[in-house]
Amino acid sequence: AQSVTQLGSHVSVSEGALVLLRCNYSSSVPPYLFWYVQYPNQGLQLLLKYTSAATLVKGINGFEAEFKKSETSFHLTKPSAHMSDAAEYFCAVSDGRGYGNKLVFGAGTILRVKS
Amino acid sequence: DAGITQSPRYKITETGRQVTLMCHQTWSHSYMFWYRQDLGHGLRLIYYSAAADITDKGEVPDGYVVSRSKTENFPLTLESATRSQTSVYFCASSTPMRAGTQYFGPGTRLLVL
């Protein structure tokens, strides 16, 4: 079975500071990994995904994530936080095959950006 | 391009009533999913569907029923609503061509009194 653990339900950073949101996964097969963002009262929007190509993945809005197999991690980073980055972020894992590429989500991390 | 829509966006109902949440997508994606979002749990899969007339249970299917007579529609029915079903419900769709990327609707906030 696959699972995702997001360390820290809330993360607070100052505007302009580094954003680091942590995600560790468990999977018995090579995983596909995703980061989604949810703004208040909206659905989830894909930020980026890893599908066994380059281990450093660049996404929208200046975010990137690095797949580290040895650490079973897929942490999300952004060099300089912006007020508009305040949202909830979800890490998700899929086995990339089989029935509809089902996603297993982490519990989410709420990012607060202070001015 | 309407994408994926859900209705109603907000619903208040009472314990024991039947409620149907609608989901419609315009992309002709073969796969569709229903999730519920609860604080501290992230999103949990209720049911999913690979095509019209093909559905299967997810992680938390008890108390829910789905159908998929047309590719574009995937309604979720709570047969007899309970307070524990108070949640935000999201519908999503995907296509095998997009390597697992799912596209989400705006959600339905359901309150069961």
Side-chain angles (χ1 to χ4, degrees):
Chain A
Q2 297 176 303
S3 65
V4 172
T5 301
Q6 292 184 238
L7 274 71
S9 58
H10 292 77
V11 170
S12 182
V13 300
S14 298
E15 192 172 21
L18 171 72
V19 175
L20 171 60
L21 304 183
R22 300 177 187 273
C23 172
N24 288 91
Y25 70 91
S26 172
S27 179
S28 58
V29 299
Y32 286 10
L33 293 158
F34 305 79
W35 275 100
Y36 280 84
V37 61
Q38 183 181 30
Y39 298 103
N41 297 316
Q42 294 186 26
L44 277 69
Q45 176 183 352
L46 181 69
L47 265 182
L48 50 80
K49 65 182 178 185
Y50 165 78
T51 57
S52 75
T55 57
L56 182 62
V57 181
K58 295 186 183 299
I60 62 172
N61 300 337
F63 284 93
E64 63 182 36
E66 186 173 9
F67 172 69
K68 293 187 176 180
K69 183 179 179 180
S70 61
E71 299 177 7
T72 61
S73 68
F74 190 58
H75 302 331
L76 181 71
T77 61
K78 182 175 180 178
S80 177
H82 194 272
M83 296 297 289
S84 61
D85 295 327
E88 188 163 17
Y89 293 80
F90 292 94
C91 183
V93 64
S94 165
D95 66 7
R97 59 193 63 82
Y99 201 114
N101 295 315
K102 290 182 291 180
L103 296 177
V104 175
F105 285 88
T109 297
I110 295 173
L111 176 65
R112 178 182 170 220
V113 181
K114 300 176 290 185
S115 59
Chain B
D1 183 359
I4 183 164
T5 57
Q6 294 183 235
S7 62
R9 293 293 313 278
Y10 303 90
K11 177 73 176 179
I12 300 174
T13 190
E14 296 177 337
T15 302
R17 292 190 179 266
Q18 182 180 81
V19 177
T20 296
L21 310 183
M22 304 301 293
C23 178
H24 175 78
Q25 51 107 353
T26 60
W27 296 307
S28 298
H29 285 172
S30 54
Y31 296 116
M32 295 188 76
F33 308 83
W34 273 108
Y35 295 91
R36 59 177 290 171
Q37 183 180 21
D38 304 289
L39 197 63
H41 290 279
L43 278 77
R44 291 180 292 176
L45 183 64
I46 304 171
Y47 269 95
Y48 55 102
S49 169
D53 297 323
I54 301 175
T55 62
D56 208 345
K57 296 178 180 180
E59 181 186 357
V60 289
D62 293 343
Y64 303 96
V65 174
V66 294
S67 62
R68 196 167 176 206
S69 57
K70 293 183 178 181
T71 299
E72 61 268 30
N73 296 324
F74 191 38
L76 176 73
T77 298
L78 288 65
E79 294 187 297
S80 178
T82 64
R83 290 199 179 94
S84 64
Q85 292 177 311
T86 292
S87 186
V88 182
Y89 291 86
F90 288 99
C91 179
S93 69
S94 74
T95 168
M97 307 305 289
R98 291 284 186 173
T101 300
Q102 294 187 13
Y103 300 87
F104 284 79
T108 295
R109 287 186 177 273
L110 176 67
L111 174 62
V112 183
L113 300 175

PDB file of all heavy atoms in Angstrom, chain B residues 90-102:
ATOM      1  N   PHE B  90     -15.068  16.620  -3.256  1.00  0.00           N
ATOM      2  CA  PHE B  90     -14.441  17.017  -4.517  1.00  0.00           C
ATOM      3  C   PHE B  90     -14.569  15.905  -5.541  1.00  0.00           C
ATOM      4  O   PHE B  90     -14.331  14.740  -5.238  1.00  0.00           O
ATOM      5  CB  PHE B  90     -12.960  17.339  -4.326  1.00  0.00           C
ATOM      6  CG  PHE B  90     -12.708  18.621  -3.609  1.00  0.00           C
ATOM      7  CD1 PHE B  90     -12.412  18.637  -2.264  1.00  0.00           C
ATOM      8  CD2 PHE B  90     -12.794  19.834  -4.291  1.00  0.00           C
ATOM      9  CE1 PHE B  90     -12.190  19.831  -1.594  1.00  0.00           C
ATOM     10  CE2 PHE B  90     -12.570  21.033  -3.637  1.00  0.00           C
ATOM     11  CZ  PHE B  90     -12.268  21.025  -2.280  1.00  0.00           C
ATOM     12  N   CYS B  91     -14.910  16.316  -6.725  1.00  0.00           N
ATOM     13  CA  CYS B  91     -14.912  15.438  -7.879  1.00  0.00           C
ATOM     14  C   CYS B  91     -13.662  15.743  -8.696  1.00  0.00           C
ATOM     15  O   CYS B  91     -13.201  16.891  -8.740  1.00  0.00           O
ATOM     16  CB  CYS B  91     -16.169  15.698  -8.696  1.00  0.00           C
ATOM     17  SG  CYS B  91     -16.324  14.716 -10.183  1.00  0.00           S
ATOM     18  N   ALA B  92     -13.098  14.723  -9.328  1.00  0.00           N
ATOM     19  CA  ALA B  92     -11.917  14.917 -10.166  1.00  0.00           C
ATOM     20  C   ALA B  92     -12.014  14.005 -11.373  1.00  0.00           C
ATOM     21  O   ALA B  92     -12.738  13.002 -11.365  1.00  0.00           O
ATOM     22  CB  ALA B  92     -10.640  14.627  -9.382  1.00  0.00           C
ATOM     23  N   SER B  93     -11.279  14.368 -12.404  1.00  0.00           N
ATOM     24  CA  SER B  93     -11.213  13.519 -13.590  1.00  0.00           C
ATOM     25  C   SER B  93      -9.775  13.427 -14.071  1.00  0.00           C
ATOM     26  O   SER B  93      -8.942  14.274 -13.730  1.00  0.00           O
ATOM     27  CB  SER B  93     -12.107  14.066 -14.708  1.00  0.00           C
ATOM     28  OG  SER B  93     -11.579  15.278 -15.229  1.00  0.00           O
ATOM     29  N   SER B  94      -9.492  12.391 -14.840  1.00  0.00           N
ATOM     30  CA  SER B  94      -8.147  12.257 -15.402  1.00  0.00           C
ATOM     31  C   SER B  94      -8.199  11.415 -16.662  1.00  0.00           C
ATOM     32  O   SER B  94      -9.192  10.748 -16.953  1.00  0.00           O
ATOM     33  CB  SER B  94      -7.177  11.625 -14.389  1.00  0.00           C
ATOM     34  OG  SER B  94      -7.423  10.250 -14.244  1.00  0.00           O
ATOM     35  N   THR B  95      -7.116  11.473 -17.394  1.00  0.00           N
ATOM     36  CA  THR B  95      -6.967  10.683 -18.598  1.00  0.00           C
ATOM     37  C   THR B  95      -5.629   9.966 -18.554  1.00  0.00           C
ATOM     38  O   THR B  95      -4.663  10.520 -18.041  1.00  0.00           O
ATOM     39  CB  THR B  95      -7.056  11.576 -19.847  1.00  0.00           C
ATOM     40  OG1 THR B  95      -6.631  10.825 -20.982  1.00  0.00           O
ATOM     41  CG2 THR B  95      -6.176  12.801 -19.717  1.00  0.00           C
ATOM     42  N   PRO B  96      -5.545   8.754 -19.079  1.00  0.00           N
ATOM     43  CA  PRO B  96      -4.270   8.033 -19.066  1.00  0.00           C
ATOM     44  C   PRO B  96      -3.153   8.781 -19.784  1.00  0.00           C
ATOM     45  O   PRO B  96      -1.980   8.529 -19.534  1.00  0.00           O
ATOM     46  CB  PRO B  96      -4.605   6.734 -19.797  1.00  0.00           C
ATOM     47  CG  PRO B  96      -6.063   6.572 -19.631  1.00  0.00           C
ATOM     48  CD  PRO B  96      -6.637   7.958 -19.616  1.00  0.00           C
ATOM     49  N   MET B  97      -3.518   9.713 -20.654  1.00  0.00           N
ATOM     50  CA  MET B  97      -2.507  10.450 -21.409  1.00  0.00           C
ATOM     51  C   MET B  97      -1.750  11.448 -20.541  1.00  0.00           C
ATOM     52  O   MET B  97      -0.756  11.997 -20.958  1.00  0.00           O
ATOM     53  CB  MET B  97      -3.174  11.190 -22.576  1.00  0.00           C
ATOM     54  CG  MET B  97      -4.014  10.298 -23.467  1.00  0.00           C
ATOM     55  SD  MET B  97      -3.077   8.896 -24.105  1.00  0.00           S
ATOM     56  CE  MET B  97      -2.002   9.738 -25.241  1.00  0.00           C
ATOM     57  N   ARG B  98      -2.216  11.704 -19.347  1.00  0.00           N
ATOM     58  CA  ARG B  98      -1.619  12.745 -18.509  1.00  0.00           C
ATOM     59  C   ARG B  98      -0.892  12.181 -17.304  1.00  0.00           C
ATOM     60  O   ARG B  98      -0.688  12.879 -16.323  1.00  0.00           O
ATOM     61  CB  ARG B  98      -2.704  13.719 -18.048  1.00  0.00           C
ATOM     62  CG  ARG B  98      -3.273  14.562 -19.174  1.00  0.00           C
ATOM     63  CD  ARG B  98      -2.317  15.653 -19.575  1.00  0.00           C
ATOM     64  NE  ARG B  98      -2.889  16.556 -20.554  1.00  0.00           N
ATOM     65  CZ  ARG B  98      -2.307  17.668 -20.972  1.00  0.00           C
ATOM     66  NH1 ARG B  98      -1.136  18.013 -20.483  1.00  0.00           N
ATOM     67  NH2 ARG B  98      -2.893  18.431 -21.868  1.00  0.00           N
ATOM     68  N   ALA B  99      -0.545  10.899 -17.363  1.00  0.00           N
ATOM     69  CA  ALA B  99       0.288  10.277 -16.325  1.00  0.00           C
ATOM     70  C   ALA B  99      -0.225  10.532 -14.920  1.00  0.00           C
ATOM     71  O   ALA B  99       0.536  10.909 -14.038  1.00  0.00           O
ATOM     72  CB  ALA B  99       1.731  10.758 -16.462  1.00  0.00           C
ATOM     73  N   GLY B 100      -1.504  10.360 -14.716  1.00  0.00           N
ATOM     74  CA  GLY B 100      -2.030  10.413 -13.369  1.00  0.00           C
ATOM     75  C   GLY B 100      -2.483  11.760 -12.893  1.00  0.00           C
ATOM     76  O   GLY B 100      -3.039  11.865 -11.804  1.00  0.00           O
ATOM     77  N   THR B 101      -2.274  12.803 -13.667  1.00  0.00           N
ATOM     78  CA  THR B 101      -2.738  14.122 -13.233  1.00  0.00           C
ATOM     79  C   THR B 101      -4.251  14.128 -13.130  1.00  0.00           C
ATOM     80  O   THR B 101      -4.936  13.713 -14.058  1.00  0.00           O
ATOM     81  CB  THR B 101      -2.300  15.200 -14.232  1.00  0.00           C
ATOM     82  OG1 THR B 101      -0.874  15.200 -14.305  1.00  0.00           O
ATOM     83  CG2 THR B 101      -2.793  16.570 -13.797  1.00  0.00           C
ATOM     84  N   GLN B 102      -4.745  14.581 -12.015  1.00  0.00           N
ATOM     85  CA  GLN B 102      -6.189  14.698 -11.837  1.00  0.00           C
ATOM     86  C   GLN B 102      -6.576  16.167 -11.814  1.00  0.00           C
ATOM     87  O   GLN B 102      -5.853  17.003 -11.279  1.00  0.00           O
ATOM     88  CB  GLN B 102      -6.623  13.996 -10.546  1.00  0.00           C
ATOM     89  CG  GLN B 102      -6.412  12.486 -10.616  1.00  0.00           C
ATOM     90  CD  GLN B 102      -6.990  11.749  -9.433  1.00  0.00           C
ATOM     91  OE1 GLN B 102      -7.765  12.290  -8.652  1.00  0.00           O
ATOM     92  NE2 GLN B 102      -6.621  10.484  -9.293  1.00  0.00           N
TER      93      GLN B 102
END
